Amino acid sequence: MAKYQCMCGWIYDEDVGEPSQNIPPGTKFEDLPDTFRCPQCGLGKNAFRKIEE
């Protein structure tokens, strides 16, 4: 699964998900809700770029 990095440096790992926002492991980045925010800086999905397949 892929990893995406926010402009602030925080990484969303699809294998891990984001427990603090009730995003389960295995959730693809494109399937995250539009309300998803970086837990470190609060930026939205458009602040992320793919860094790894």
Side-chain angles (χ1 to χ4, degrees):
M1 299 196 90
K3 293 181 181 179
Y4 293 78
Q5 186 172 28
C6 182
M7 291 177 4
C8 75
W10 185 82
I11 295 173
Y12 175 73
D13 184 340
E14 293 179 342
D15 285 328
V16 176
E18 177 45 42
S20 72
Q21 296 183 56
N22 297 317
I23 307 293
T27 302
K28 293 189 172 292
F29 186 80
E30 57 265 20
D31 294 335
L32 292 173
D34 291 337
T35 56
F36 178 81
R37 296 286 179 257
C38 173
Q40 185 167 290
C41 72
L43 292 176
K45 289 172 65 175
N46 60 346
F48 285 77
R49 64 181 175 88
K50 186 181 242 182
I51 59 169
E52 189 177 309
E53 278 296 327

